[in-house]
Amino acid sequence: MSFDAADAGTPESAWQAAGYRAGLAQLDTGPLKRLVVVAAHPDDETLMAGGLIAHASARGLPVLVVVASSGEASHPQSPTWTPDALAAEREREVAEAVERLAPGARVLLLRLPDGALAEHQAEIVAALLPEVQAGDTVVSTWSGDQHPDHSAVARAAADIARQREAIHLEAPIWLWHWGEPGATELPAGARFDLDAPALAAKRAAIALHITQVEPLSSAAGDEVLLRPEALAHFLVDSEVVFPTSPAQPVDFDGMYAVADDPWGFDDRWYEQRKRAILLAALPRPRFARVLEIGCSSGTTTAAFADRADAVIATDVAPRAVEQAGVRLSGRPGVVVEQRRLPADWAEEWSDAPFDLIVLSEVGFYLAGDDLVEVVDRSRAALAPGGVFVACHWRPHVLGLDRGGDEVHRVIRERIGARRLVEHVEDDFVLEVFQSEPSASVAAATGLR
């Protein structure tokens, strides 16, 4: 987490005084036919959507609550509870809380590692795939909640909602703690007002999560996690959701019209460092033919040109292609082309295969099945022993189909090559694959 839950945080009175919830449009629950709530931890379901669960149940609608982890890491310094014992207790609590909100509702426990859900996002997707139907309303934790588990669950739910043509709503939890009314930029939200029975059910369900709302014991390490000032955000008579929508085409032309280097490839230390790591991860000092998909203004293309006999660099934005062409003018063997892939994939690329293909910060812009097609075509266009490099920003970007972790899951499933390098940071993931026949870097360079 990028905040400390032990801090006092923003008081509920500040949100009330700012009128944030009151200023939101009412959530239209008319389309609600079946509710699937996807929580990262036991108690998330009640805090973020307990009123909506109670509302759906009162209308006689089916309710499914999916809990990705059992919350065993909520008190890592506890001297009285083991993680296994805490997980079992929290599973019991969530079952009782959901029964209070929606009698007879089903609870699906995935039992994935608490605190590491980003590494198990594919398993969340796989578990949801047979459970979510077209037209369902899927409520998940919010991708912007500054909690990696909440973000991973949001990304998985967004992926499933897209695949199943379901409605997806993200609900914040920790936002109320670290956010500042009027200062924190938030997506368009909607308000769901709880009637008296729903509010009473939600408050009773919150109280059933005893391990979170009361101290585990008087010992150090067993302190209460959800203190009264934190709980105050969830005892009010409304809930907030951020409706998501299908990914829209990114206006790259508009971005380049505002700035020549919209992502700061030339000037930002983050980009400079990431580029250096990518180049250092390449298993050979030189390549014959390189294909760079999404070259932007050509900053990284120039580095590839120093280590290759021929480079084909593509980008969808005309202004980016123009800039890259100027930067690389006079460099022998370098061609910069405007192409929208996979539609503009050149058939001749498979006839003259590449020994290096690079897909960097592009995969999440490839909507629907376009990513799969680009990876499949790349696999076919790799020379024997060829190298495929993928590097992507990990946090989910609102409005896009998928985040970097999901992009790399698809790549691993489709590329059909041995992974040589896996580098994962909070911000980005880098993977290097090599098709057969492949050899270690030491063997390929004659060291053994």
Side-chain angles (χ1 to χ4, degrees), residues 60-113:
L61 303 178
V63 175
L64 167 65
V65 175
V66 181
V67 187
S69 84
S70 297
E72 67 274 10
S74 68
H75 290 76
Q77 306 303 320
S78 174
T80 61
W81 287 74
T82 66
D84 287 346
L86 189 55
E89 183 65 10
R90 296 197 67 184
E91 288 181 3
R92 185 191 64 78
E93 290 173 351
V94 73
E96 290 188 357
V98 172
E99 181 66 19
R100 178 63 180 84
L101 294 167
R106 181 175 163 225
V107 177
L108 174 60
L109 302 172
L110 303 187
R111 298 190 170 100
L112 297 171

Side-chain angles (χ1 to χ4, degrees), residues 5 10 14 28 34 57 76 92 158 178 258 260 305 307 316 319 323 349 385 388 425:
T10 303
D28 180 10
R34 180 173 180 266
S57 177
R92 185 191 64 78
W178 56 257
V258 174
D260 284 343
R307 295 174 59 173
V316 70
R319 178 59 179 157
Q323 290 180 7
W349 289 349
F388 181 88
E425 300 188 6

Side-chain angles (χ1 to χ4, degrees), residues 296-364:
S296 187
S297 56
T299 307
T300 308
T301 316
F304 293 141
D306 291 338
R307 295 174 59 173
D309 299 330
V311 178
I312 296 177
T314 74
D315 202 279
V316 70
R319 178 59 179 157
V321 171
E322 179 185 346
Q323 290 180 7
V326 171
R327 184 193 298 267
L328 299 160
S329 177
R331 299 292 295 268
V334 178
V335 177
V336 182
E337 301 177 340
Q338 182 187 349
R339 290 180 180 270
R340 182 179 292 276
L341 301 180
D344 297 333
W345 193 277
E347 295 301 329
E348 60 267 23
W349 289 349
S350 295
D351 298 330
F354 300 93
D355 54 350
L356 175 62
I357 298 178
V358 181
L359 184 73
S360 180
E361 308 293 14
V362 175
F364 29 61

Side-chain angles (χ1 to χ4, degrees), residues 6-209:
D7 291 342
T10 303
E12 175 56 27
S13 59
W15 289 101
Q16 295 290 340
Y20 171 72
R21 294 184 184 87
L24 298 176
Q26 287 279 359
L27 177 69
D28 180 10
T29 60
L32 183 59
K33 301 294 185 290
R34 180 173 180 266
L35 181 64
V36 179
V37 175
V38 190
H41 318 95
D43 80 352
D44 290 345
E45 79 298 325
T46 302
L47 298 175
M48 69 181 181
L52 192 58
I53 293 172
H55 169 77
S57 177
R59 285 176 50 184
L61 303 178
V63 175
L64 167 65
V65 175
V66 181
V67 187
S69 84
S70 297
E72 67 274 10
S74 68
H75 290 76
Q77 306 303 320
S78 174
T80 61
W81 287 74
T82 66
D84 287 346
L86 189 55
E89 183 65 10
R90 296 197 67 184
E91 288 181 3
R92 185 191 64 78
E93 290 173 351
V94 73
E96 290 188 357
V98 172
E99 181 66 19
R100 178 63 180 84
L101 294 167
R106 181 175 163 225
V107 177
L108 174 60
L109 302 172
L110 303 187
R111 298 190 170 100
L112 297 171
D114 184 8
L117 294 183
E119 300 168 23
H120 297 269
Q121 186 175 319
E123 294 166 64
I124 302 173
V125 173
L128 291 175
L129 197 58
E131 302 291 347
V132 177
Q133 307 165 12
D136 284 355
T137 296
V138 179
V139 181
S140 74
T141 45
W142 177 41
S143 57
D145 225 8
Q146 296 193 13
H147 190 304
D149 281 353
H150 292 196
S151 298
V153 165
R155 293 192 297 266
D159 187 13
I160 284 297
R162 175 182 57 81
Q163 293 187 50
R164 290 301 199 216
E165 298 183 347
I167 298 167
H168 181 214
L169 308 173
E170 297 185 22
I173 294 176
W174 286 110
L175 161 67
W176 312 114
H177 178 83
W178 56 257
E180 297 182 19
T184 302
E185 184 175 352
L186 298 173
R191 182 183 85 248
F192 175 68
D193 290 334
L194 283 62
D195 59 19
L199 180 58
K202 179 173 181 173
R203 290 177 173 177
I206 288 175
L208 291 171
H209 287 283

